[in-house]
């Protein structure tokens, strides 16, 4: 099952010892992109005044009841379909009990017994040996997707020995995506999460911005020798970016290997990733194994979903969710978009990955292609080598680019019509980058970069150069 | 008014939860045995019922913002607050 990106098991640490196979599974929580919360009508918004987006239900005041948000169910169905899952036409809600200051009810409403979607898969691509030109496709199985509530936020004030609680996030809808342990290293996990992020953003079911806590990833890591049973696993939390995800997993794999090779044992514990130190550390102890006392949520009947065949005749449309209707309206997923780009424009597969990886870049590319006679295969070079590297250098998004697609198209047209050389074009681009509002043509004229088309004029200039370098010419001519 | 030892003993006696002696534990075991009689019912092929609501339709709400913005009211219930945060013990 497990192998590394290069096709083999992780080599032995010490010579003569059996190789280690790392096993990585992921639990991903994606915040649903909706106006209101999963079971209440308070608003979902990042960074609002504390406790301003909290209803009586969110605060767990007595006498309040959960009311399911239709949009959240649709988001979960879309996501399940995009990940090739079977959608459970009947799913159930449960209570998961634990005590924490940011969980006012003392339990979280989740779907433990029968979640909304099961048995899917996610395909992602990796570059072999860091060469973009050799990409390999891998698949990770999706165990299930469940709907559940988010908790509030705790701010620990150790100085005054207290915790400050903000319930704005309490009750926001989450999709928990559980991946089977089919990955073997940080790189695979990072690639899988990146692809999931793109899928969620394409669907619109979650904005999946890790920095804003809309996508949270916990990694389960263990190692074992080939042929032996899986090792004890640790859970790694507090990972705030895809880059740190890869680092955290690789660090944990190596920590476990070293520990075991030195005769130690691995504890079934939860560890936090410390991004400053680049290592994992044990988290504040969670007194042994938690007993969550799962029980059915008594206030919510089963969630029933329909398809074209089972659609009831007399029900109010607003109360019915039709899986087939949602399926028909799914947008093109990233993998399909990439294929279309390659087919339509004749670019390389790895180019399509870069285009989709940068928000807005594919659209920019297509706009430029529409407005220029230059072949897409040539345009792509300007987009990926010139434009993208400028953007990266200045940490700008495509939206923030001082050079618009119209301006770039104008420039490429000048080049295509042979009115300027490609070196001149790069010079003009550098000038355009300053964003002073000049058109490419204006800059060309200003810097006198026009290519001379007149044969006579060219001869005159060449002659003048030769005349000016008489000595060198005399040496050159015999040879 | 403090809770006297007599009241405590009385409560324990009523609730049958005296675990300090073997008699209490014995009583607990008997209570569990009594409840275990439920297992004698053959439930093969019968779906467990979670709730009497199981045949009801789960109502779906439109995704509109209809609540919230009641910070002051919510914090009225809090014994302690810091700015507009609830205060809880550490850890």
């Amino acid at each position: 099952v497990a192998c590394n990106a290069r096709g083999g098991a992780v080599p032995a640490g010490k010579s003569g010892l059996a190789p280690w196979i790392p096993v990585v599974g992921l639990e991903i929580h994606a915040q649903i992109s909706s106006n209101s919360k999963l079971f209440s009508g308070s608003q979902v918004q990042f960074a609002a005044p504390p406790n301003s987006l909290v209803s009586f239900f969110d605060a767990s005041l007595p006498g309040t009841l959960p009311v399911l948000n239709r949009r959240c169910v649709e988001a979960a169905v879309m996501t399940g379909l995009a990940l090739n899952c079977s959608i459970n036409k009947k799913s159930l809600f449960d209570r998961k009990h634990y005590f924490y200051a940011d969980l006012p009810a003392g339990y979280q409403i989740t779907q433990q017994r029968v979640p909304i979607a099961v048995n899917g898969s996610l395909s992602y691509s990796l570059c072999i040996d860091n060469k973009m030109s050799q990409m390999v496709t891998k698949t990770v199985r999706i165990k299930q997707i469940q709907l559940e509530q988010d908790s509030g936020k705790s701010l620990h004030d150790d100085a005054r020995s207290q915790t400050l609680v903000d319930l704005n996030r309490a009750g926001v809808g989450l999709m928990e995506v559980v991946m089977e342990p089919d990955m073997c290293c940080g790189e695979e996990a990072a690639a899988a999460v990146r692809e999931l992020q793109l899928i969620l953003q394409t669907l619109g079911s979650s904005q999946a911005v890790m920095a804003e806590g809309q996508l949270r990833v916990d990694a389960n890591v263990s190692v074992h020798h080939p042929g032996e049973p899986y090792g004890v696993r640790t859970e790694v939390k507090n990972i705030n970016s895809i880059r740190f995800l890869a680092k955290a997993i690789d660090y944990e794999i190596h920590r476990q290997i070293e520990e075991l090779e030195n005769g130690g044992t691995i504890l079934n514990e939860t560890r936090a990733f410390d991004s400053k130190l680049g290592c994992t550390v044990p988290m504040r102890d969670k007194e042994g194994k938690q007993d969550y006392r799962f029980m059915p949520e008594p206030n919510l009947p089963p969630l029933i979903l329909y398809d074209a065949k089972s659609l009831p005749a007399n029900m109010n449309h607003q109360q019915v969710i039709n899986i087939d209707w949602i399926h028909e309206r799914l947008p093109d997923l990233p993998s399909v978009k990439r294929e279309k780009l390659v087919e339509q424009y004749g670019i390389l597969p790895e180019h399509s990955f870069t285009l989709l990886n940068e928000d807005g870049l594919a659209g920019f590319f297509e706009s430029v292609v529409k407005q220029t006679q230059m072949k897409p295969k040539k345009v792509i070079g300007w987009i990926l080598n010139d434009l993208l590297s400028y953007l990266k250098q200045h940490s700008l998004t495509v939206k923030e680019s001082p050079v618009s697609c119209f301006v770039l198209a104008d420039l490429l047209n000048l080049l295509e019509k042979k009115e300027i050389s490609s070196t001149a074009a790069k010079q003009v681009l550098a000038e355009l980058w300053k964003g002073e509002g000049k058109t490419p043509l204006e800059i060309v004229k200003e810097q006198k970069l026009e290519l001379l088309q007149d044969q006579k004029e060219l001869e005159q200039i060449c002659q003048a150069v030769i005349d000016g370098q008489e000595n060198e010419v005399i040496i050159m001519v015999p040879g | 008014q403090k809770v006297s030892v007599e009241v405590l003993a009385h409560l324990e006696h009523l609730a049958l939860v005296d675990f300090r002696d073997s008699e209490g534990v014995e009583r607990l075991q008997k209570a569990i045995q009594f409840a275990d009689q439920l297992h004698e019912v053959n439930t093969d092929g019968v779906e467990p019922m979670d709730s009497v609501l199981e045949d009801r339709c789960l109502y779906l709400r439109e995704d509109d913002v209809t609540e919230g913005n009641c910070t002051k009211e919510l914090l009225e219930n809090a014994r302690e607050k810091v700015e507009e945060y609830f205060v809880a013990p550490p850890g």
Side-chain angles (χ1 to χ4, degrees):
Chain A
V1 166
C3 65
N4 73 2
R6 288 137 194 83
V10 173
K14 297 182 182 161
S15 59
L17 287 176
W20 291 102
I21 302 180
V23 178
V24 178
L26 299 177
E27 277 164 32
I28 298 165
H29 290 90
Q31 241 183 37
I32 297 174
S33 176
S34 61
N35 300 325
S36 57
K37 295 184 180 178
L38 182 58
F39 293 116
S40 68
S42 37
Q43 192 181 4
V44 176
Q45 196 188 75
F46 187 66
N51 292 308
S52 60
L53 307 177
V54 185
S55 68
F56 288 179
F57 171 78
D58 303 330
S60 187
L61 297 187
T64 56
L65 291 170
V67 185
L68 183 56
N69 179 339
R70 188 198 158 89
R71 157 68 189 164
C72 293
V73 180
E74 289 170 344
V77 172
M78 272 197 285
T79 306
L81 291 170
L83 294 176
N84 306 307
C85 294
S86 310
I87 306 295
N88 283 327
K89 292 225 193 67
K90 178 176 169 186
S91 62
L92 306 171
F93 290 101
D94 303 293
R95 290 185 183 180
K96 177 179 181 183
H97 300 81
Y98 63 93
F99 292 114
Y100 208 67
D102 58 27
L103 195 71
Y107 61 85
Q108 174 201 39
I109 300 178
T110 177
Q111 293 188 300
Q112 191 247 359
R113 289 166 296 156
V114 188
I116 191 167
V118 291
N119 295 338
S121 66
L122 168 67
S123 292
Y124 59 97
S125 293
L126 281 179
C127 319
I128 302 185
D129 293 333
N130 286 322
K131 284 191 225 149
M132 272 301 267
S133 50
Q134 277 193 287
M135 303 200 86
V136 65
T137 303
K138 298 213 162 208
T139 306
V140 57
R141 289 167 298 159
I142 305 286
K143 178 161 187 249
Q144 66 190 55
I145 299 176
Q146 65 211 48
L147 279 168
E148 57 185 37
Q149 292 172 304
D150 206 345
S151 65
K153 273 213 187 126
S154 304
L155 302 170
H156 298 286
D157 182 356
D158 296 320
R160 283 179 212 80
S161 222
Q162 61 189 10
T163 303
L164 301 182
V165 178
D166 173 14
L167 297 177
N168 282 348
R169 202 184 63 181
V172 171
L174 294 176
M175 294 176 289
E176 177 170 346
V177 179
V178 183
M179 290 184 179
E180 298 282 17
D182 295 341
M183 292 161 288
C184 69
C185 63
E187 198 186 351
E188 287 190 358
V193 170
R194 179 67 187 126
E195 188 66 8
L196 177 65
Q197 200 179 32
L198 285 173
I199 291 173
L200 292 171
Q201 289 168 349
T202 302
L203 293 172
S205 56
S206 170
Q207 280 154 49
V209 176
M210 274 182 94
E212 287 183 13
Q214 292 165 340
L215 190 70
R216 310 200 287 259
V217 183
D218 299 330
N220 294 312
V221 181
S222 72
V223 296
H224 65 279
H225 289 304
E228 286 181 14
Y230 280 18
V232 174
R233 68 163 194 252
T234 61
E235 189 186 15
V236 183
K237 287 170 114 68
N238 192 39
I239 300 166
N240 300 325
S241 74
I242 294 186
R243 208 170 56 96
F244 285 152
L245 175 66
K247 268 188 143 188
I249 289 171
D250 289 337
Y251 173 86
E252 182 59 17
I253 290 171
H254 283 102
R255 184 193 75 84
Q256 290 193 11
I257 290 175
E258 252 201 65
E259 183 70 35
L260 291 170
E261 285 183 348
N262 288 331
T265 52
I266 305 299
L267 296 170
N268 176 212
E269 59 177 348
T270 301
R271 299 175 72 89
F273 180 64
D274 184 322
S275 49
K276 286 194 197 114
L277 299 173
C279 64
T280 63
V281 294
M283 272 178 89
R284 270 172 308 162
D285 79 337
K286 289 184 166 188
E287 309 150 32
K289 263 210 136 183
Q290 279 272 32
D291 178 4
Y292 292 116
R293 291 172 288 135
F294 284 100
M295 68 175 252
E297 169 54 63
N299 293 321
L300 294 169
L303 172 61
I304 309 291
L305 302 173
Y306 300 93
D307 56 23
K309 276 192 222 149
S310 64
L311 211 51
N314 298 323
M315 260 178 92
N316 175 5
H317 282 291
Q318 196 270 339
Q319 289 302 312
V320 170
I321 292 186
N322 182 344
I323 300 167
D324 290 336
W325 191 90
I326 294 175
H327 207 309
E328 282 158 26
R329 281 155 189 76
L330 286 179
D332 276 348
L333 294 181
S335 51
V336 172
K337 279 193 196 170
R338 284 184 207 118
E339 268 170 37
K340 284 190 175 173
L341 285 170
V342 169
E343 217 197 280
Q344 197 176 347
Y345 300 111
I347 58 176
L348 296 173
E350 52 264 30
H351 293 160
S352 69
F353 270 92
T354 316
L355 281 181
L356 252 59
N357 232 1
E358 211 58 47
D359 196 24
L361 194 61
F364 193 103
F365 166 69
E366 291 190 279
S367 297
V368 172
V369 165
K370 275 203 190 90
Q371 298 169 80
T372 175
Q373 295 91 43
M374 184 183 280
K375 285 212 164 65
K377 278 192 205 177
K378 276 184 86 180
V379 175
I380 194 76
W382 286 91
I383 299 286
L384 297 182
N385 301 331
D386 300 274
L387 180 79
L388 190 59
S389 56
Y390 268 120
L391 289 173
K392 290 287 173 205
Q393 259 174 48
H394 296 92
S395 295
L396 293 172
T397 62
V398 173
K399 272 195 204 120
E400 296 164 340
S401 170
V403 176
S404 73
C405 54
F406 310 106
V407 168
L408 184 60
D410 276 347
L411 176 61
L412 296 181
N413 280 337
L414 289 176
L415 179 56
E416 191 65 8
K417 284 187 272 188
K418 296 198 169 47
E419 287 182 34
I420 54 175
S421 69
S422 102
T423 321
K426 289 200 198 281
Q427 228 176 294
V428 175
L429 186 57
E431 189 66 30
L432 284 169
W433 200 260
K434 295 181 190 163
E436 288 166 4
K438 298 185 204 155
T439 67
L441 198 54
E442 281 167 6
I443 297 173
V444 164
K445 288 204 175 357
E446 250 178 51
Q447 298 191 13
K448 299 208 181 41
L449 294 168
E450 306 94 321
L451 272 181
L452 296 170
Q453 311 282 17
D454 187 331
Q455 181 79 356
K456 269 215 135 181
E457 221 188 317
L458 279 168
E459 277 180 15
Q460 276 176 8
I461 293 175
C462 289
Q463 192 59 48
V465 171
I466 292 171
D467 291 342
Q469 311 280 16
E470 268 196 40
N471 295 331
E472 283 82 348
V473 171
I474 289 166
I475 295 166
M476 282 286 294
V477 169
Chain B
Q1 200 190 9
K2 280 195 167 183
V3 178
S4 66
V5 179
E6 289 88 26
V7 172
L8 250 182
H10 186 56
L11 285 172
E12 277 192 79
H13 181 75
L14 284 175
L16 306 174
V17 287
D18 181 0
F19 298 145
R20 282 169 301 165
D21 59 32
S22 59
E23 210 190 304
V25 177
E26 174 68 26
R27 210 177 296 123
L28 174 66
Q29 268 165 209
K30 285 220 174 90
I32 293 172
Q33 258 176 281
F34 178 77
D36 275 344
Q37 290 180 94
L38 288 170
H39 289 306
E40 289 177 30
V41 179
N42 185 349
T43 56
D44 287 345
V46 180
E47 276 295 304
M49 181 176 82
D50 312 325
S51 154
V52 293
L53 297 175
E54 67 178 11
D55 289 332
R56 295 283 196 93
C57 195
L58 176 52
Y59 179 77
L60 295 171
R61 182 176 56 85
E62 279 303 307
D63 185 25
D64 299 319
V65 176
T66 55
E67 322 177 78
N69 251 310
C70 50
T71 318
K72 215 166 158 218
E73 260 178 298
L74 289 174
L75 289 173
E76 264 168 27
N77 282 333
R79 189 182 55 165
E80 263 190 83
K81 38 187 170 251
V82 169
E83 289 170 27
E84 282 164 335
Y85 291 91
F86 292 101
V87 179

